[in-house]
Amino acid sequence: MSSLSRFALIRNGESLKTSRIPEVPISDFRADILKMISSGKRLCALILNEKEKKPAKLLSVLSDDAEGKLYLNSSEPVSSYPALTPDLPQAHLFEREIYENSGIVPEGHPWLKPVRRKPADQAVFFKEEGEEIHEVAVGPIHAGIIEPGHFRFQCHGEKIHHLEIQLGYQHRGAEALLQKPNRFSLSIAESICGDSAIAHGWAHCQALEALQGIRPTLKAESLRAILLETERLANHIGDLGAISGDIGYLPASAYFGRLRGDFLNLLMLISGNRYGKGFLELGGAAFDIPPQMRSQAIETLQRAKRHLTEIGEMFFGESSVISRLEETGLISQKVCADLGLVGVAARASGKDLDVRQDHPCGLFRFRYIPTVKLTSGDVFARAMIRFLESQRSLDFLSAVLDSLPEGDLTVPRGKILEERLSVSLIEGWRGEVCHIAFSNAEGKLSGYKVIDPSFHNWMAVAISVRQGEISDFPLCNKSFNLSYAGHDL
Amino acid sequence: MIEIIKNRLKQGYRTSNFPNEKPELPERFRGRPALNQDLCASGCADCLSACPTQALTKSPDPEGKTLSLDMGRCLFCGECAKSCPDGAIVFTRDHRLAANKREDLLIQSQEVKLAASLKEEMRRLFGRSLKLRQVSAGGCSACEAELTALNNVVFDLGRFGIQFVASPRHADGLVITGPVTKHMKEALQLAYQAVPEPKIVIAVGACALSGGPFMDSTEQLGGANAIVPVDLYIPGCPPHPLTILDGLLRLLGRLEDKMETVK
């Protein structure tokens, strides 16, 4: 029997009957996953299948990025099992999460620590011993206006040997709130991670729409795509400004910072909120873009494109900037694949993962945004990806705004169909935002899982600073700019 | 170098003329809500069930003011205004929202009691130089991003003598965002204790005011004033940078329009 037949197939934004997901003994579950990974698939999710009490079933979602397919399988109920992490490093945080949420023990997991639910200060940290080795502890409160998290460095002089990142301070119980059937859940989804309100909000809408068997109009899908790309622009350009600031290149920091505001203001023009909160609606969108606003937006975008090019050329044309960014915070292509990185971080390390290209949904099924890939895996690559992607998004926005389809803003909501599971992927500006929703026999929402791209990528921050100087840490961290709240939920 | 100078000339002068000029916010911007009790006659409760955070309450009142909106809970999503068949709730384009007391955020009409300035001694100390330490205690990064935006060239917080500093020991007060998660409670208390007296606390955003969208979660404590005394409440999800700036300047007694009640 081929391994593919032991998986259920689904595409992004679709739902399937939960009974169609094959349930196999844990040994087969493990072996099948490993086989699929060796044939180029990627671990999109490894979670508890609904119940958070042991014994429970595990559920995996594997992504075939080349074919645009998602493969699901489930294990029989287990209380413990041989951990996947030693064979599959990208499972490391998923298995810690399973252990924390249910008590199911992934035996042989190399570093079975709490993820977010236990107070982080009770965690144990790896400690390096030796002459002249010293420890630097930073956080939870950091020096800037930034979310809390704890960073523990093992250093030899200025050189970082090891960094361990312990999060959980931001744990607000967002996922638990989403698990309860609640028609206000969209306002929670929009606040999972405030800079990705559209990405998480859309992923949430799409997950529920799939469970209800409804699909928004092309009009609403176009509007959603416009907001998503505007959100990407605001964040990418803001990050370029923050990177400029971290290396002390203040003109670029000021100009990028100002330019970022143009996109937040564009979001406000359309939705009334600088982060697009309140724009999405289950079944569509709450706001249209009337013709006059459209021409105003196109004008803003054209001006922004000119400014972006000018500031970008100034920034990347400076040899001292390039020498500061190049070969700092390296993530090799192998580490990228091993850790299962997603989004900007993956594309900067030679992996052209992009949900908009690999698992297109909504308008992206009809309008293609060329994916940008670089191979050097350093801060330079992560900055350059943002610059290039911003230009692609600007072109996309101008084209879509120019030919916005006619149609209704929303379609009527349906009833949640019984015993189904939906997988919803959206390429947020950081990377793949994944929401998984379960319904029960009564047609009620019975489970909900959120995976922010940061969940896949935090380990990369720790790896990227190894053997570097501790003074490079802020720059490396900024080049990823991961979400604490998105991780802690 | 020549590129920097060329860009500098092209960029021009970008700092807004706030507070000397009234800000122009777009038509769809949802600022200070205004209630018209006279229009709320039909006796329905559609707005109550449309609100995601139970910000609206309705109670029988002899004066007829039965509908109240708590801006501390409000996400400014506009669902209540959309649901009202009588147009009794509208979101104005007024960005001014900040108040000194939690109860001042409860509005029943077109009026709101805006924040008053600090007492004279505090104003003498902080009026022209205020150093703040920001603590995110479960904030989703939207409020944090708007606080960061205050430092950009457009809002340019520094021109008012207000600055964010790295250590609470260098600070005159805290700016708190987020509903205060259980896991951040201790860190927040320590940061508060580390700020030298006299000190002020500013809570920013629906989460820090009431728990916001997370108010039903047992993992959070329902906002900053559950842990520390708050001197200034700035509503919003997130508040517009001008809303924050307006609140800060009001607290320091530095705004021209001194009236505390606006129509």
Side-chain angles (χ1 to χ4, degrees):
Chain A
M1 198 162 72
S2 101
S3 61
L4 281 184
S5 64
R6 308 219 297 209
F7 285 85
L9 171 69
I10 188 176
R11 282 181 195 270
N12 180 19
E14 290 181 350
S15 71
L16 85 169
K17 265 278 190 219
T18 35
S19 57
R20 274 189 44 217
I21 303 168
E23 200 180 304
V24 296
I26 188 74
S27 54
D28 292 352
F29 177 78
R30 277 185 96 260
D32 289 346
I33 292 173
L34 291 173
K35 213 177 205 173
M36 290 286 265
I37 298 288
S38 65
S39 69
K41 315 287 187 288
R42 180 174 57 85
L43 190 65
C44 189
L46 177 67
I47 59 173
L48 291 164
N49 196 344
E50 284 197 67
K51 212 172 56 142
E52 284 197 350
K53 232 164 76 189
K54 69 177 180 181
K57 302 171 196 170
L58 306 182
L59 175 82
S60 87
V61 180
L62 299 167
S63 167
D64 184 338
D65 299 306
E67 297 280 332
K69 293 172 181 166
L70 299 166
Y71 292 97
L72 284 77
N73 71 344
S74 170
S75 77
E76 289 171 351
V78 287
S79 294
S80 66
Y81 69 100
L84 275 157
T85 302
D87 301 315
L88 183 64
Q90 50 186 299
H92 74 104
L93 202 53
F94 285 115
E95 294 198 309
R96 277 170 57 181
E97 186 185 46
I98 288 168
Y99 173 63
E100 182 175 66
N101 291 0
S102 68
I104 294 173
V105 184
E107 286 162 352
H109 189 290
W111 206 230
L112 202 56
K113 285 181 55 164
V115 179
R116 58 173 85 88
R117 290 197 183 179
K118 302 221 171 64
D121 48 12
Q122 291 172 15
V124 286
F125 289 89
F126 176 82
K127 203 170 166 64
E128 189 180 6
E129 302 282 343
E131 220 173 305
E132 290 176 29
I133 294 292
H134 64 107
E135 195 174 67
V136 182
V138 184
I141 301 177
H142 301 176
I145 304 176
I146 182 172
E147 297 173 63
H150 185 83
F151 298 79
R152 188 77 62 97
F153 298 89
Q154 311 296 321
C155 293
H156 183 255
E158 292 291 303
K159 198 192 247 184
I160 301 170
H161 280 183
H162 183 76
L163 162 62
E164 191 166 345
I165 302 171
Q166 182 63 44
L167 303 180
Y169 295 94
Q170 294 281 73
H171 180 51
R172 301 153 293 171
E175 211 170 61
L177 290 175
L178 289 168
Q179 275 164 5
K180 286 182 215 146
N182 185 342
R183 61 195 186 81
F184 304 125
S185 56
L186 185 53
S187 58
I188 292 158
E190 284 176 337
S191 296
I192 288 171
C193 169
D195 54 32
S196 305
I198 298 294
H200 274 287
W202 188 355
H204 177 68
C205 286
Q206 184 173 250
L208 295 189
E209 285 156 4
L211 280 188
Q212 297 181 358
I214 58 171
R215 183 164 263 184
T217 59
L218 189 60
K219 169 88 168 195
E221 284 178 338
S222 306
L223 291 167
R224 285 179 177 183
I226 288 169
L227 274 274
L228 184 73
E229 293 311 311
T230 311
E231 177 176 273
R232 189 181 320 281
L233 278 157
N235 284 294
H236 276 5
I237 291 169
D239 281 350
L240 287 172
I243 290 170
S244 314
D246 266 358
I247 61 171
Y249 190 35
L250 299 185
S253 167
Y255 305 158
F256 280 129
R258 198 273 306 160
L259 191 57
R260 168 176 190 267
D262 285 3
F263 296 100
L264 296 178
N265 289 339
L266 185 56
L267 287 171
M268 177 168 63
L269 180 76
I270 299 169
S271 72
N273 179 291
R274 300 222 312 162
Y275 294 81
K277 289 184 178 184
F279 165 78
L280 289 159
E281 221 171 76
L282 197 56
F287 295 99
D288 195 2
I289 308 180
Q292 203 199 336
M293 191 184 282
R294 222 173 292 172
S295 39
Q296 198 182 339
I298 290 173
E299 206 182 299
T300 304
L301 293 171
Q302 281 166 347
R303 199 178 49 237
K305 182 156 190 195
R306 216 171 50 238
H307 285 161
L308 177 66
T309 315
E310 285 165 6
I311 305 166
E313 279 170 3
M314 175 189 90
F315 181 68
F316 289 109
E318 195 74 64
S319 53
S320 58
V321 168
I322 301 301
S323 70
R324 183 72 184 86
L325 303 186
E326 275 183 343
E327 290 175 34
T328 305
L330 276 173
I331 289 292
S332 70
Q333 299 190 31
K334 180 170 186 314
V335 168
C336 170
D338 283 351
L339 290 178
L341 303 189
V342 296
V344 169
R347 294 195 286 278
S349 290
K351 205 147 188 257
D352 67 336
L353 283 180
D354 190 326
V355 174
R356 295 171 296 171
Q357 163 199 270
D358 305 330
H359 302 278
C361 65
L363 188 69
F364 300 112
R365 285 172 295 155
F366 310 111
R367 274 196 187 270
Y368 178 64
I369 298 188
T371 302
V372 188
K373 182 183 85 170
L374 293 174
T375 50
S376 56
D378 46 11
V379 175
F380 168 77
R382 289 187 285 277
M384 190 51 130
I385 290 271
R386 287 173 163 99
F387 178 55
L388 297 172
E389 282 186 3
S390 298
Q391 292 172 325
R392 304 284 188 281
S393 294
L394 280 166
D395 293 340
F396 172 87
L397 283 176
S398 297
V400 178
L401 280 166
D402 216 27
S403 58
L404 200 59
E406 293 303 315
D408 291 334
L409 279 182
T410 50
V411 294
R413 294 172 196 186
K415 206 184 138 336
I416 289 180
L417 306 169
E418 295 90 19
E419 295 187 304
R420 293 185 84 85
L421 175 151
S422 64
V423 181
S424 169
L425 303 177
I426 296 291
E427 185 73 18
W429 64 271
R430 280 191 187 90
E432 177 183 283
V433 170
C434 173
H435 286 216
I436 300 171
F438 302 81
S439 68
N440 62 15
E442 285 94 56
K444 292 254 168 63
L445 201 64
S446 58
Y448 205 90
K449 188 81 200 85
V450 177
I451 302 158
D452 188 83
S454 312
F455 192 81
H456 296 281
N457 287 3
W458 266 113
M459 190 54 144
V461 177
I463 302 292
S464 75
V465 299
R466 275 192 193 172
Q467 303 305 320
E469 294 206 357
I470 195 161
S471 52
D472 276 349
F473 171 72
L475 180 60
C476 294
N477 190 28
K478 198 74 81 198
S479 74
F480 289 93
N481 192 11
L482 300 178
S483 170
Y484 301 72
H487 172 280
D488 292 346
L489 297 170
Chain B
M1 193 63 204
I2 193 78
E3 283 300 315
I4 299 177
I5 295 167
K6 263 161 56 187
N7 256 289
R8 179 70 193 85
L9 292 173
K10 278 181 196 160
Q11 287 291 324
Y13 185 78
R14 297 282 183 170
T15 306
S16 83
N17 199 15
F18 184 85
N20 300 325
E21 263 171 38
K22 204 172 172 283
E24 277 293 314
L25 290 162
E27 201 187 317
R28 288 178 179 173
F29 175 73
R30 293 180 294 278
R32 177 176 57 82
L35 308 189
N36 189 334
Q37 303 285 349
D38 296 339
L39 292 177
C40 177
S42 64
C44 78
D46 291 356
C47 56
L48 270 63
S49 54
C51 179
T53 49
Q54 297 154 42
L56 285 145
T57 46
K58 216 172 174 183
S59 61
D61 184 312
E63 282 170 45
K65 282 183 178 178
T66 59
L67 193 64
S68 315
L69 192 157
D70 180 0
M71 289 203 297
R73 291 182 161 214
C74 184
L75 303 181
F76 297 78
C77 65
E79 290 296 323
C80 53
K82 259 192 267 174
S83 77
C84 180
D86 306 314
I89 308 171
V90 288
F91 282 84
T92 68
R93 280 197 275 167
D94 189 354
H95 65 282
R96 299 172 296 180
L97 304 171
N100 293 119
K101 292 194 194 119
R102 183 68 183 80
E103 57 267 28
D104 290 347
L105 297 173
L106 208 65
I107 53 171
Q108 296 189 317
S109 65
Q110 273 105 321
E111 295 182 2
V112 59
K113 189 161 187 258
L114 292 175
S117 104
L118 290 167
K119 295 266 179 318
E120 207 183 325
E121 173 59 14
M122 293 277 265
R123 209 168 71 211
R124 192 183 62 78
L125 283 170
F126 300 146
R128 293 193 297 168
S129 164
L130 180 68
K131 310 289 170 203
L132 298 167
R133 167 68 249 198
Q134 205 275 325
V135 178
S136 169
C140 71
S141 83
C143 289
E144 290 81 352
E146 292 301 52
L147 289 165
T148 306
L150 285 175
N151 283 323
N152 72 24
V153 292
V154 177
F155 301 109
D156 191 16
L157 193 62
R159 71 195 147 123
F160 302 104
I162 308 171
Q163 199 187 355
F164 287 102
V165 292
S167 166
R169 293 200 194 281
H170 302 160
D172 304 314
L174 295 182
V175 176
I176 302 169
T177 54
V180 186
T181 56
K182 280 185 179 167
H183 294 179
M184 271 306 285
K185 183 184 169 191
E186 192 193 351
L188 176 59
Q189 282 168 330
L190 290 172
Y192 179 75
Q193 286 159 13
V195 178
E197 296 279 358
K199 51 191 159 191
I200 57 172
V201 173
I202 300 161
V204 173
C207 291
L209 268 52
S210 66
F214 301 102
M215 56 175 57
D216 291 335
S217 171
T218 52
E219 300 297 329
Q220 54 84 43
L221 304 166
N225 67 4
I227 306 301
V228 291
V230 175
D231 301 281
L232 183 68
Y233 296 88
I234 306 179
C237 184
H240 191 283
L242 289 178
T243 305
I244 307 173
L245 195 48
D246 171 82
L248 292 173
L249 295 182
R250 244 165 242 289
L251 192 70
L252 299 179
R254 296 189 44 174
L255 274 189
E256 287 299 312
D257 63 325
K258 290 259 166 56
M259 52 175 186
E260 290 170 22
T261 310
V262 290
K263 283 235 170 188

